[in-house]
Amino acid sequence: MGDDKVKVVDATGSFCPGPLMELIGQLKEMEVGDVLELLSSDKGSAADVPEWVNKVGHEMVGTEEKDGVWHIRVRKLK
Amino acid sequence: MRILIVGGGMGGTILANNLARRLHREMRDGKVAIQMLSASDRHMYQPGLLYVAVGRMMPQDLYRDQASLLEPGIEFHVDPVEEFELDANRVKTKSGKAYGYDVLVIATGSRIYPEGIPGLEEHGEFFYTEASALKLFRRLREFEGGKVVIAVGVPHKCPMAPLEITFMLHDYFKDRGLLDKTQLHYTYPIGRTHGLENVAKWATPEFERLGISYETLFNLKEVDGKRKVLLSEEGSETPYDLLISIPAHRGMEVIEKNGLGKSGWIPTDRHRLNMEGRENVYVLGDTTNLPISKAGSTAHFEADTLGENLAAMIRVGAPVRDYDGKVFCFIEAGKDRATYAMFNYQNPPDPKPPTQAMHWFKMAYNQLYWASARGIL
């Protein structure tokens, strides 16, 4: 984990297009193997993001909540 | 104080006019100069392209001369920037000139990027340029029925556009007596029919009521034009007869070429609107990397804030307020009904049921836009 290249995307306050849309757009521009950390103030993201990540075939690295902000880590696998 | 605005779209134009009104004394006395550099001598009302596609506006209705929209005293040049030399506080343009500044505002906008999806450019129809909107108009005129698929890329300009084109096409086919021979199929990248939860709650039953099929968690990966099939990142295949796409967008090439931001989006402070790491460079509208709507409305409210702040910084040495993420979007819900969404970083929208009155307000706004660009509205 310590060597992972992590890109942080702050999508707090993103109602439109929404945190998952931010994640989809940003992940496209990253290299396979890189990790993206999405910050979201929308608790729905904690369910929406893993659903999409599993369907497409990327990897959920972890999710935690700190002071009302969800930190969702996803590794790009393809 | 020399203020240089690069880009003559919604954000740049409103800001230039806002500043010229607030600072007319300082401009008259030679203490402030405002210059604008644009790639075009014409200003396009981009949301009008949606109406061009269904034959309800003509392309010439969308344009005004840019110089006619600007307050007196603003120096306007059609001379696109090619090099940003931020450390030297200057830009170099296509004509070979160099323009110095004390404050730089970058508002160069975005462009569609269908090239990112194999087969999309050749087989998809779009409405984000005059030529593509007219091509779609002709395709729709010739269309005799079949499966029309709407495919949505990420990120895209105006997050309401996928819903609007779908509802407008429904009424278009109904009016032309083609609805019983046509299947409208809407696809969307995430697990509901719109990024805004409350908009999705309204749109999904509307689709069901109108007989529009939909598929969520659908991100276009490739268009197989031979088989007329769309392949998604999620592994599904969807056949089509007519493919209408809201393609992914990118910022302008000049931004990326100058290393100001990946894919043409400049990292921007969400409240102050300055480019990250630069105190005298500001960014407006589609050009920012902010996680909010890429839309003229966003550029409008950002420009209002920045105009007030820059004028205050010149007069009293400090900005007066933060940009709060405000966006206001009309949502056409057919040919004669519309609703709207208004929100900011803190408050999600709560769209009301569509009405005819809101549709006519949108029709009126299509003309009021020019007053808005002049900084009057």
Side-chain angles (χ1 to χ4, degrees):
Chain A
M1 274 279 289
D3 295 333
D4 284 340
K5 203 169 141 191
V6 179
K7 178 178 182 181
V8 177
V9 173
D10 185 352
T12 53
S14 176
F15 293 114
C16 185
L20 179 52
M21 297 276 268
E22 279 297 319
L23 180 139
I24 292 171
Q26 299 274 352
L27 215 53
K28 268 189 186 169
E29 293 169 13
M30 292 172 62
E31 303 293 325
V32 171
D34 287 354
V35 173
L36 184 148
E37 181 171 335
L38 181 76
L39 310 187
S40 172
S41 47
D42 169 23
K43 69 173 190 272
S45 299
D48 293 349
V49 174
E51 185 190 2
W52 179 78
V53 166
N54 292 332
K55 192 157 184 189
V56 173
H58 297 307
E59 179 192 344
M60 281 298 300
V61 178
T63 301
E64 59 177 321
E65 189 200 348
K66 286 182 206 162
D67 304 323
V69 175
W70 292 89
H71 295 245
I72 304 166
R73 289 185 155 216
V74 177
R75 190 190 314 275
K76 178 168 172 159
L77 288 188
K78 57 186 215 182
Chain B
M1 171 72 72
R2 296 166 300 165
I3 301 169
L4 179 63
I5 299 170
V6 179
M10 185 69 166
T13 305
I14 290 185
L15 176 69
N17 287 327
N18 184 313
L19 286 170
R21 285 213 169 83
R22 290 177 190 278
L23 299 169
H24 63 97
R25 280 173 185 276
E26 288 83 350
M27 287 171 74
R28 184 194 63 194
D29 297 343
K31 291 177 185 162
V32 169
I34 302 172
Q35 288 184 311
M36 173 182 279
L37 301 175
S38 177
S40 171
D41 65 346
R42 294 195 303 170
H43 185 121
M44 182 201 259
Y45 176 53
Q46 296 178 39
L49 289 166
L50 183 66
Y51 301 89
V52 171
V54 292
R56 288 167 55 195
M57 278 177 100
M58 291 291 112
Q60 55 267 38
D61 299 338
L62 309 181
Y63 294 100
R64 295 282 188 280
D65 285 340
Q66 176 64 11
S68 75
L69 299 173
L70 297 174
E71 284 283 306
I74 297 168
E75 197 185 306
F76 174 61
H77 300 281
V78 179
D79 196 2
V81 171
E82 293 199 331
E83 288 174 51
F84 289 87
E85 297 178 347
L86 302 186
D87 290 334
N89 286 345
R90 110 188 131 208
V91 302
K92 287 188 177 158
T93 59
K94 195 178 176 184
S95 72
K97 286 184 189 157
Y99 291 81
Y101 59 82
D102 298 300
V103 170
L104 174 69
V105 181
I106 306 175
T108 42
S110 62
R111 65 197 160 103
I112 54 169
Y113 185 66
E115 307 93 285
I117 303 287
L120 181 58
E121 215 173 1
E122 304 91 292
H123 304 294
E125 300 295 338
F126 317 105
F127 52 87
Y128 286 89
T129 61
E130 183 183 324
S132 64
L134 279 173
K135 183 163 169 269
L136 173 55
F137 166 72
R138 291 189 194 104
R139 283 292 305 271
L140 289 171
R141 287 294 303 172
E142 291 159 8
F143 189 70
E144 291 174 350
K147 185 172 180 180
V148 181
V149 178
I150 289 95
V152 180
V154 177
H156 58 265
K157 187 193 272 288
C158 185
M160 299 304 173
L163 288 177
E164 291 189 296
I165 188 69
T166 306
F167 289 131
M168 286 168 77
L169 283 174
H170 173 274
D171 285 5
Y172 176 87
F173 291 129
K174 189 177 170 188
D175 283 352
R176 299 198 57 207
L178 286 167
L179 203 52
D180 56 346
K181 296 181 203 156
T182 302
Q183 185 197 349
L184 266 173
H185 185 73
Y186 171 96
T187 68
Y188 203 68
I190 66 171
R192 54 178 185 250
T193 56
H194 195 263
L196 287 167
E197 199 173 353
N198 284 340
V199 172
K201 275 184 191 161
W202 159 73
T204 306
E206 277 294 284
F207 283 155
E208 284 159 6
R209 185 176 72 82
L210 299 172
I212 299 167
S213 57
Y214 57 90
E215 183 175 355
T216 56
L217 291 175
F218 185 97
N219 285 272
L220 190 56
K221 182 180 164 194
E222 191 181 335
V223 181
D224 182 340
K226 274 190 187 160
R227 288 198 298 137
K228 288 199 154 190
V229 167
L230 307 181
L231 296 98
S232 79
E233 295 276 356
E234 291 80 3
S236 61
E237 290 198 4
T238 301
Y240 70 89
D241 294 304
L242 174 59
L243 168 61
I244 299 177
S245 177
I246 283 81
H249 282 63
R250 284 195 166 197
M252 291 313 197
E253 276 171 312
V254 67
I255 303 299
E256 205 163 17
K257 270 187 193 162
N258 280 269
L260 302 185
K262 203 169 181 191
S263 300
W265 315 123
I266 300 180
T268 306
D269 183 280
R270 62 171 60 202
H271 296 297
R272 287 197 54 220
L273 301 173
N274 60 304
M275 177 178 173
E276 282 177 12
R278 299 274 171 181
E279 285 301 309
N280 68 336
V281 181
Y282 295 85
V283 194
L284 287 179
D286 289 1
T287 316
T288 77
N289 73 335
L290 296 177
I292 52 175
S293 309
K294 298 212 172 291
S297 162
T298 308
H300 181 151
F301 295 118
E302 288 172 347
D304 281 350
T305 305
L306 188 57
E308 207 174 329
N309 281 347
L310 288 178
M313 285 157 78
I314 288 167
R315 287 179 162 165
V316 297
V320 283
R321 67 181 171 109
D322 283 346
Y323 174 61
D324 66 357
K326 184 179 175 184
V327 182
F328 176 100
C329 301
F330 287 103
I331 313 169
E332 289 281 24
K335 67 171 179 177
D336 58 4
R337 296 182 321 134
T339 181
Y340 69 93
M342 188 161 73
F343 47 98
N344 61 26
Y345 291 138
Q346 302 295 328
N347 303 294
D350 183 17
K352 302 290 181 281
T355 62
Q356 263 194 349
M358 192 50 68
H359 167 72
W360 287 111
F361 187 15
K362 167 64 172 164
M363 290 290 103
Y365 182 78
N366 288 344
Q367 303 304 321
L368 285 170
Y369 172 81
W370 303 110
S372 186
R374 289 184 180 98
I376 296 165
L377 183 68

